[in-house]
Amino acid sequence: MKLLLALLLILVPVGFAAESTKRATHTALSIAGDEFHINGKPTYAGRTWNGHKIQGLLLNARVVQGIFDDRNTNTVARWAYPDTGRWDAERNTREFIAAMPEWRRHGLLAFTLNLQGGSPEGYSKAQPWHNSAFAADGSLRTDYFARLERILNRADELGMVVILGYFYFGQDERLADDTAVVHATDNATKWLLDHGWQNVLVEINNECNVNRYDHAILRPNRVHELIERVQGTRRDGRRLPAGTSYGGGKVPEEKVVRVSDFLLLHGNGVSDPKRIAEMVRQTRAVPGYTPKPILFNEDDHFHFDQPTNNFVAAISEHASWGYFDYRMRGEGFNDGFQSVPVNWGISSDRKQAFFQLLHDITDGGKP
């Protein structure tokens, strides 16, 4: 009996599979060549805009803090809500979920979350806060995954796709070593498959080429191992599509291009829209490339009122584009989508300009 109890205590926290329950799904994502399909039909089916093919794209936003929390008691006060004077992780997720239908009404079909978030300051040299859905050994933290479950369920109901990042530089050191990273990858993947969602793309880590990753397996020379590990995990003949992203202006390298189901680019630091289009063409020229979707899922350049901008440049090459806005106001709620505490509504002129252009391009994402 003691041995059985010990085994249960070890096994249940890893994936808390005993609590996992499958539910009927509404949104099934698939990939056909360089197009995304939802429930067997191309996204934005038949849609063109200013001569550009929109069908098959997955236009998205970076909203990685949907399950954010801070386990560091010395830094958690930084994220206090102005109306209550304290941080509240449950409120953050609750308000995130409440905002999702309005994003969808404007034509947004996907968004990026990350199990280790992103910098709640936008860009940071140091990250003393502790925001990780993984314990040091790679086991899953039940509070984070309970919040994630609610978001994934709502996305499924709304016909939306979640690009789920597993690791983030500055927080990957919360895991003990490469072995713990592998365990975390396996545990998160099995948890997703056990629940049966079919609307998730896995982004192994955010910007794998950033030199701040502590663990070798998360760097460009080896990250393909984790992509293949996710792809090799199956339930009922089903697996999760997987890839990883690179930093602003960087074209993916051959090892990642060969194994990925889709390719993630970032436009940070790219101020000339012509370079955005060039990146897409260069990506398609990498040895080992076969037709597959190309997505920008992070770009902090806007100019949505101009005829040419990074968003338009991406779709001109039939690549999806993702809005990244970390805007901080210095006090109170932050109007961007990354700086905590986040106002998840379409609350600023910049957000309104993005969502209006998105609506114009997609006609609101009508089937």
Side-chain angles (χ1 to χ4, degrees):
M1 179 62 73
K2 289 183 179 180
L3 178 59
L4 177 60
L5 180 59
L7 286 172
L8 287 173
L9 289 173
I10 291 171
L11 292 174
V12 171
V14 170
F16 45 100
E19 300 177 13
S20 297
T21 55
K22 284 189 177 181
R23 59 193 293 278
T25 57
H26 303 276
T27 305
L29 179 75
S30 58
I31 296 172
D34 66 352
E35 289 190 350
F36 287 105
H37 288 203
I38 291 179
N39 297 335
K41 297 180 180 179
T43 58
Y44 310 115
R47 181 68 178 170
T48 61
W49 178 80
N50 286 359
H52 304 309
K53 179 184 174 184
I54 307 303
Q55 176 176 300
L57 297 182
L58 200 60
L59 302 179
N60 62 93
R62 178 179 170 86
V63 289
V64 292
Q65 311 290 29
I67 60 171
F68 176 87
D69 202 0
D70 187 356
R71 299 174 61 82
N72 185 345
T73 57
N74 294 320
T75 56
V76 67
R78 297 185 186 186
W79 328 121
Y81 283 96
D83 55 349
T84 64
R86 65 184 183 89
W87 166 246
D88 185 339
E90 288 298 315
R91 173 182 174 177
N92 176 60
T93 298
R94 186 169 61 249
E95 292 180 354
F96 182 104
I97 292 169
M100 289 168 59
E102 187 66 13
W103 303 344
R104 179 64 186 84
R105 279 193 288 271
H106 282 80
L108 195 77
L109 285 187
F111 54 83
T112 298
L113 289 175
N114 193 295
L115 297 177
Q116 295 190 317
S119 170
E121 298 174 338
Y123 292 100
S124 305
K125 291 184 178 180
Q127 295 187 41
W129 46 86
H130 185 161
N131 174 40
S132 179
F134 303 112
D137 62 355
S139 59
L140 310 183
R141 298 192 186 281
T142 57
D143 53 342
Y144 277 85
F145 278 82
R147 293 193 294 273
L148 176 61
E149 181 173 358
R150 287 155 51 199
I151 291 175
L152 292 178
N153 285 343
R154 187 63 176 131
D156 178 62
E157 293 166 357
L158 291 170
M160 300 181 78
V161 173
V162 177
I163 306 166
L164 183 62
Y166 284 2
F167 307 105
Y168 182 73
F169 61 84
Q171 294 297 313
D172 72 298
E173 59 263 40
R174 304 298 180 186
L175 290 122
D177 49 29
D178 277 11
T179 298
V181 171
V182 170
H183 288 164
T185 300
D186 289 349
N187 291 333
T189 302
K190 290 173 183 176
W191 182 85
L192 290 166
L193 289 169
D194 285 345
H195 281 75
W197 291 295
Q198 300 180 54
N199 61 328
V200 177
L201 297 170
V202 173
E203 175 184 9
I204 295 296
N205 55 335
N206 177 77
E207 301 186 343
C208 67
N209 61 310
V210 171
N211 61 14
R212 292 173 60 190
Y213 277 106
D214 280 26
H215 303 301
I217 200 167
L218 290 171
R219 299 172 193 152
N221 197 47
R222 291 190 58 198
V223 69
H224 68 283
E225 298 173 27
L226 296 177
I227 295 173
E228 292 177 310
R229 198 168 185 94
V230 171
Q231 294 168 335
T233 305
R234 294 178 177 268
R235 289 287 184 279
D236 303 322
R238 187 173 55 83
R239 70 169 179 86
L240 298 170
T244 194
S245 64
Y246 286 76
K250 174 69 173 176
V251 171
E253 297 176 11
E254 181 177 349
K255 285 184 178 180
V256 164
V257 169
R258 286 189 180 277
V259 303
S260 297
D261 295 297
F262 53 89
L263 298 170
L264 294 174
L265 311 181
H266 286 179
N268 303 5
V270 181
S271 58
D272 184 354
K274 293 180 181 178
R275 173 58 185 156
I276 293 292
E278 181 183 44
M279 287 173 63
V280 178
R281 294 192 296 270
Q282 289 178 343
T283 298
R284 292 189 175 119
V286 173
Y289 172 83
T290 55
K292 62 188 69 178
I294 297 175
L295 297 82
F296 288 84
N297 73 327
E298 181 176 341
D299 193 337
D300 60 359
H301 290 79
F302 312 111
H303 303 295
F304 300 123
D305 60 336
Q306 301 298 314
T308 302
N309 53 55
N310 287 10
F311 188 174
V312 172
I315 65 174
S316 74
E317 294 290 336
H318 200 245
S320 304
W321 191 83
Y323 172 73
F324 168 44
D325 184 1
Y326 62 86
R327 185 181 183 187
M328 298 182 71
R329 297 194 315 197
E331 59 182 51
F333 288 98
N334 292 300
D335 275 333
F337 272 150
Q338 182 157 306
S339 300
V340 181
V342 183
N343 184 333
W344 294 114
I346 304 176
S347 55
S348 67
D349 291 344
R350 182 181 290 169
K351 287 179 181 175
Q352 291 168 13
F354 164 69
F355 279 101
Q356 183 59 58
L357 179 57
L358 174 69
H359 189 281
D360 292 345
I361 289 171
T362 66
D363 194 25
K366 295 176 182 177

